[in-house]
Amino acid sequence: MARDRRRPLTRLRRRWRSYVLGAFSLLVLAFLVGPILLVIPISFGGSEFLEFPPKSYSLRWYAAYFSDHEWIAATLFSLKVASLTAICATIVGTAAAFALVRSGWGRHDLVGALIAAPMITPAIITAVGLYLALSRVGLVGQTMGFVLAHTVLVLPLVVISVSASLHGIEPRLEAAAMSLGAPLSSVLARITLPLALPGIAIGAAFAFISSFDEATVSFFLSTPGGKTLPKKMFEGIEWELSPVIAVVSTLLTLISFVLVLLIAALRGLRRGASPQAGFVPPPM
Amino acid sequence: MSINPPSLPPSPLRAARTAAPVSTRGARFAAPRRTLAGGLYRPAFLALLLAPLGIVYVAAFVYPIGAFLLESVWTKEGLSLANYARLVDQPLYVTILLRTFRIGLYVTLICLVLAYPLAYWLTRLRGLPFSLAVACILLPLWTSVLVRTYAWAVLLRHGGIVNSALLSLGLINEPLTLLYTEFAVLVAMVHILLPFMVLPIYSSLRGIPRDLGRAAQSLGARPAREFLHVVLPLSLPGVVGGCVMVFVIAIGYFITPALLGGPRMLLVSTLINQQVTSVLNWSFGGALGATLLAAALLSIVLLRMLMGAASRWIAEG
């Protein structure tokens, strides 16, 4: 009797707990996504000033963005830097990840910490240091300087995601090919690289988006002649909160959304590997 | 053994799918695999593959930071710690240092309070709700910091959305000053750094076998006791990982404090910027940078020790 009476009560109490937990979690998720979604209607506003919710809708701010020479120049410059960074970081990072995984060096905590160091060093220190070093060799504001700086910032991401992929590849496949007389180059090109391709692609996507969005180093390295999109946005927010920035924000969110989907799809291809790899955070 | 003949897989997609079962089988034979992998390639070849990364790290990470931090001890009179003395002597700089650490601490604690329940809730989700929730966490993580900072500037400005909502609800009579305050910096930084707290906590919570909870219940533990003695200790590594990540990023964060903090709310990062770009006092900037880096390293060590002590304390009762 006593047991029967207590049971529904405990169940109710447990449910009550999980309802509170669910409601709290949904609120936190809304806090995370809300502000980002908010800028989308603002970008379609029809008035001369920023208003939310917009009283009328138009594409005038999109027209303003696409006809503004400075915004387009900054966008193209960022695309160039991010593409070159992704290429450099993917090549250097894939080679390093292969060496770290196949030699077993990557298992040491110290090596892991050294590889991740650019990711966890306070951004301002790396940024000012790079500003000092690159100004000594005249690379401030130059594509080369940005690519070098961004490459070092995104390399940990590439190494981590390619390593996760390589850990899932059986070295005996490589051994078998070698024992059948395949030269080293074709073992790597025809076995290791194709098998590691999803991880390499994830690394490249991480590298691209991290470089494209990187703000702190870009803040210091940008010059009037070589300005990235984040630096241009920084100046825009500093001076006035023009809806043109909402347009850029909407476009950037769209790019991030596509990349998150792409990475999720690639992660699905590689289900055997560590689930941690897709969660690696971007450098600031 | 169902290993594909190495000459066969022209399609990387198929190869990737077949790779998974092979690898799980290999994991059971860890020892022979290690010797095999070690003997497959010459160390010199592997070192050669690692060399480009080493060169990039030295040229674009070790050297720049070293050069910047060394600026702090090289003065006109030679080696001196005058810059560090100045940092400790002047109340203004002490205030800025303390403010930076206070904000870092608040951001870390608020993130922890918001992230832990969310991560716990995530472990119960399956299928589409799970994917949607993860997307809600990953999308902000991969969206430009400037997009998020802009959104908060729009929300918090004088005639902004928060103020007009509060006015129309009748909760306030005139707009509050929210932008260019410590509040604005705190809210925006919590928003930006929250995913860094959720993800490590989630992955350590997910690693806890469900049977452990059932075992605790079958032994008569109430949910609170089960949580305190089973779930919480086992998730501590994720908590510490998240806290280290959030605190270290927070104390060195530049973009958001620079845009939302305003000139009266200097933090160490914005002070370094001022010293380096306006005052051109590189040596004092270097001293600030070295202090910040030391604080970051110290916080990592302290949190690890704290975790060790906490898990020992929980294990003992």
Side-chain angles (χ1 to χ4, degrees), chain B residues 67-86 281-287:
Chain B
F68 172 48
L69 299 185
L70 276 180
E71 289 281 326
S72 67
V73 286
W74 285 114
T75 50
K76 283 179 200 120
E77 296 89 42
L79 215 58
S80 129
L81 290 176
N83 286 306
Y84 292 92
R86 185 177 162 209
N281 190 344
W282 278 89
S283 53
F284 188 56

Side-chain angles (χ1 to χ4, degrees), chain A residues 145-171:
Chain A
F146 279 105
V147 172
L148 185 65
H150 284 180
T151 298
V152 83
L153 288 179
V154 304
L155 262 174
L157 296 169
V158 178
V159 173
I160 291 169
S161 48
V162 177
S163 296
S165 227
L166 286 171
H167 275 299
I169 299 172
E170 180 55 57

Side-chain angles (χ1 to χ4, degrees), chain A residues 165-280:
Chain A
S165 227
L166 286 171
H167 275 299
I169 299 172
E170 180 55 57
R172 275 180 288 192
L173 287 177
E174 292 158 16
M178 282 184 190
S179 73
L180 294 172
L184 183 61
S185 56
S186 59
V187 172
L188 295 182
R190 299 183 63 177
I191 296 171
T192 314
L193 284 183
L195 285 173
L197 204 60
I200 296 173
I202 292 176
F206 278 149
F208 180 86
I209 193 71
S210 303
S211 166
F212 192 64
D213 287 342
E214 200 288 324
T216 312
V217 170
S218 294
F219 174 87
F220 287 96
L221 293 189
S222 287
T223 55
K227 192 184 285 178
T228 63
L229 192 56
K231 169 76 171 182
K232 176 82 182 141
M233 289 175 79
F234 186 99
E235 291 170 353
I237 299 171
E238 208 173 22
W239 292 112
E240 47 152 5
L241 297 172
S242 155
V244 174
I245 304 169
V247 170
V248 184
S249 297
T250 306
L251 296 176
L252 286 181
T253 309
L254 196 69
I255 294 176
S256 306
F257 184 67
V258 170
L259 273 166
V260 167
L261 286 183
L262 184 77
I263 290 168
L266 286 166
R267 271 163 51 79
L269 285 182
R270 206 200 46 183
R271 211 162 279 151
S274 144
Q276 194 74 27
F279 284 158
V280 278

Side-chain angles (χ1 to χ4, degrees), chain A:
Chain A
M1 268 299 276
R3 192 184 174 145
D4 283 338
R5 221 181 298 149
R6 204 171 50 216
R7 247 199 158 160
L9 196 74
T10 22
R11 198 179 293 158
L12 190 75
R13 208 185 285 154
R14 201 166 289 161
R15 280 232 181 106
W16 174 81
R17 270 204 186 95
S18 73
Y19 286 150
V20 171
L21 181 69
F24 181 83
S25 303
L26 287 175
L27 279 177
V28 176
L29 287 182
F31 168 72
L32 274 171
V33 185
I36 296 172
L37 298 182
L38 186 105
V39 298
I40 298 173
I42 292 176
S43 75
F44 290 103
S47 124
E48 204 172 322
F49 305 103
L50 194 156
E51 40 177 42
F52 184 90
K55 292 186 184 69
S56 61
Y57 290 92
S58 79
L59 289 174
R60 62 184 289 179
W61 298 110
Y62 284 82
Y65 166 72
F66 283 107
S67 60
D68 187 319
H69 165 72
E70 279 189 31
W71 278 110
I72 295 301
T75 310
L76 293 178
F77 187 69
S78 272
L79 283 174
K80 183 165 88 175
V81 167
S83 311
L84 290 171
T85 300
I87 293 170
C88 293
T90 307
I91 294 171
V92 173
T94 302
F98 181 82
L100 289 170
V101 171
R102 286 292 181 261
S103 64
W105 297 329
R107 272 199 295 271
H108 297 284
D109 279 351
L110 186 67
V111 176
L114 283 177
I115 295 289
M119 216 159 64
I120 48 177
T121 306
I124 183 78
I125 299 175
T126 324
V128 174
L130 279 163
Y131 176 48
L132 177 70
L134 292 176
S135 65
R136 286 181 182 170
V137 287
L139 282 178
V140 170
Q142 306 292 313
T143 312
M144 265 291 294
F146 279 105
V147 172
L148 185 65
H150 284 180
T151 298
V152 83
L153 288 179
V154 304
L155 262 174
L157 296 169
V158 178
V159 173
I160 291 169
S161 48
V162 177
S163 296
S165 227
L166 286 171
H167 275 299
I169 299 172
E170 180 55 57
R172 275 180 288 192
L173 287 177
E174 292 158 16
M178 282 184 190
S179 73
L180 294 172
L184 183 61
S185 56
S186 59
V187 172
L188 295 182
R190 299 183 63 177
I191 296 171
T192 314
L193 284 183
L195 285 173
L197 204 60
I200 296 173
I202 292 176
F206 278 149
F208 180 86
I209 193 71
S210 303
S211 166
F212 192 64
D213 287 342
E214 200 288 324
T216 312
V217 170
S218 294
F219 174 87
F220 287 96
L221 293 189
S222 287
T223 55
K227 192 184 285 178
T228 63
L229 192 56
K231 169 76 171 182
K232 176 82 182 141
M233 289 175 79
F234 186 99
E235 291 170 353
I237 299 171
E238 208 173 22
W239 292 112
E240 47 152 5
L241 297 172
S242 155
V244 174
I245 304 169
V247 170
V248 184
S249 297
T250 306
L251 296 176
L252 286 181
T253 309
L254 196 69
I255 294 176
S256 306
F257 184 67
V258 170
L259 273 166
V260 167
L261 286 183
L262 184 77
I263 290 168
L266 286 166
R267 271 163 51 79
L269 285 182
R270 206 200 46 183
R271 211 162 279 151
S274 144
Q276 194 74 27
F279 284 158
V280 278
M284 286 296 115

